[in-house]
Amino acid sequence: MANRSETAHGHRPDPGLDAIMSERRQLINLAYRLLGSLADAEDVVQETYVRWYGMDRPQRDAIESPGAWLTTVASRICLNLLGSARARRERYVGEWIPEPLPERREWTDGVAADPADRITLDESVDMAFLVVLESMTPAERVAFILHDVFRYAFAEVAEIVGRTPAACRQLASSARRRIRDAQAPAGPTTAQAGIVRKFKQAWAAKDVSALVDLLDPDATVIADGGGLVGALRRPITGRERVAHAYLNVARLAPHQTLLERTVNGRPGLVAQQDGVTVTVFAFRVSGDRITHIWAVRNPEKLRPWTEGDRGGARMSAGRRGDLPVGR
């Protein structure tokens, strides 16, 4: 017996529609890790589906594994984008930092799902990890993410990257060395949260000595305003310089409120002005010292955060841990 769709349109619905759309979460996760931008990841996934539905029905039916096809196409689009990313970065105003992701459950009242909700928060989206990925060649990054994070066999990676399996193995190995050389082991999340909380409290109290004590001697802060808002144009290194830089921020924005939030799966901070998120801070903590702070101020990169600000303001009201800076 024909169903309603068959009767209305004269043909059967695509039996693979649910299966095709169920791949969206996987594709968003993959593209974000490859590009470091949720907005670009969404564009890549949309383009992938455009290409899928650009084929006629017999062509789609002939594809044995639609999920593998979609992954291959999305990965190749990302590879092409990464190839042109260097030129785009050269035109970018100031430092470029990957787009930070929130843990939405912390601060929304059942808000409808956002693409950020579809990103699985694990060590492969840690801000420090994403920053190291930025130093890799496009082929290294794609080979490493596909094999080490998503567990694709090197034979499958080779088909996507256009290299031999042996070459892809070497690319992934080189990427692993970059990560190993750049990253000190991170401590337990609870310990990191404690350090970040102490940093927030010292910052709000304008206690320069306490700030210095929490920072590694070679601590570095990098800010990303994208030329759209005020931000440091160059990294600042050295704990005394970093501490005084944040005291200057407290003086310039005395009514900003600092909130403890999860940023890319790690303890971080969010600065709000009149209930609107203006900066997201990601931290790298090694032992009991902060080694890196990434401050994202570019409004275009804060969309997943600002869309939930109204609900977040309701939930954070009255929290003991939410302190105004400089009061």
Side-chain angles (χ1 to χ4, degrees):
M1 183 172 64
N3 61 30
R4 185 175 300 177
S5 181
E6 289 177 313
T7 303
H9 302 289
H11 59 77
R12 291 179 300 139
D14 186 346
L17 179 60
D18 289 343
I20 291 300
M21 297 312 296
S22 70
E23 296 290 333
R24 185 173 180 82
R25 182 187 181 98
Q26 170 88 346
L27 296 175
I28 287 283
N29 272 275
L30 172 65
Y32 174 74
R33 285 162 174 79
L34 289 177
L35 301 175
S37 165
L38 181 60
D40 289 347
E42 293 179 79
D43 289 344
V44 165
V45 174
Q46 181 174 339
E47 174 62 23
T48 300
Y49 279 113
V50 166
R51 295 187 187 187
W52 172 263
Y53 285 106
M55 297 185 292
D56 58 34
R57 179 67 176 272
Q59 287 176 309
R60 297 199 301 268
D61 288 344
I63 296 173
E64 184 175 345
S65 175
W69 187 94
L70 292 167
T71 297
T72 296
V73 171
S75 298
R76 287 175 177 167
I77 295 173
C78 289
L79 187 60
N80 290 336
L81 288 174
L82 287 168
S84 60
R86 189 179 302 275
R88 296 199 307 273
R89 300 287 191 272
E90 289 175 354
R91 296 192 298 271
Y92 195 81
V93 178
E95 298 291 323
W96 191 94
I97 298 174
E99 184 176 330
L101 290 175
E103 172 50 79
R104 301 282 292 194
R105 289 174 299 180
E106 288 188 349
W107 57 295
T108 56
D109 293 325
V111 175
D114 181 271
D117 292 321
R118 295 193 287 270
I119 302 293
T120 303
L121 298 177
D122 59 24
E123 65 276 3
S124 66
V125 294
D126 176 89
M127 186 62 75
F129 186 91
L130 292 176
V131 169
V132 178
L133 291 180
E134 287 296 314
S135 69
M136 298 179 185
T137 67
E140 279 179 333
R141 187 166 184 167
V142 174
F144 173 76
I145 291 296
L146 285 172
H147 179 266
D148 284 43
V149 177
F150 289 90
R151 304 303 179 189
Y152 278 77
F154 281 119
E156 297 171 297
V157 176
E159 183 179 347
I160 293 171
V161 178
R163 310 271 184 108
T164 66
C168 290
R169 188 183 300 275
Q170 286 297 112
L171 288 169
S173 177
S174 173
R176 269 182 237 114
R177 284 195 298 272
R178 287 178 185 263
I179 290 172
R180 189 168 53 246
D181 292 344
Q183 288 190 316
T189 300
T190 52
Q192 294 180 53
I195 297 297
V196 172
R197 181 174 295 115
K198 290 178 181 178
F199 179 88
K200 180 188 71 172
Q201 293 168 345
W203 185 8
K206 297 183 182 179
D207 188 338
V208 67
S209 296
L211 285 173
V212 169
D213 287 344
L214 291 165
L215 295 165
D216 183 83
D218 296 319
T220 299
V221 59
I222 300 173
D224 177 347
L228 301 176
V229 295
L232 298 171
R233 292 294 183 91
R234 294 181 178 83
I236 292 178
T237 301
R239 59 186 177 188
E240 286 83 7
R241 294 186 66 202
V242 170
H244 284 286
Y246 277 100
L247 291 186
N248 286 336
V249 171
R251 282 189 281 267
L252 292 171
H255 302 301
Q256 265 189 185
T257 299
L258 286 176
L259 315 176
E260 296 174 19
R261 294 291 183 262
T262 298
V263 180
N264 286 64
R266 297 283 183 179
L269 296 176
V270 168
Q272 290 190 342
Q273 189 78 38
D274 298 324
V276 177
T277 296
V278 293
T279 312
V280 172
F281 300 93
F283 295 81
R284 179 68 176 173
V285 178
S286 181
D288 59 354
R289 295 289 185 274
I290 296 168
T291 62
H292 291 81
I293 304 174
W294 295 278
V296 181
R297 289 182 45 76
N298 183 339
E300 294 179 352
K301 295 184 178 183
L302 298 181
R303 179 172 55 83
W305 301 82
T306 55
E307 286 179 349
D309 277 338
R310 185 171 299 175
R314 289 195 301 270
M315 289 192 72
S316 64
R319 274 190 181 180
R320 185 179 302 174
D322 298 343
L323 299 177
V325 176
R327 285 185 184 172

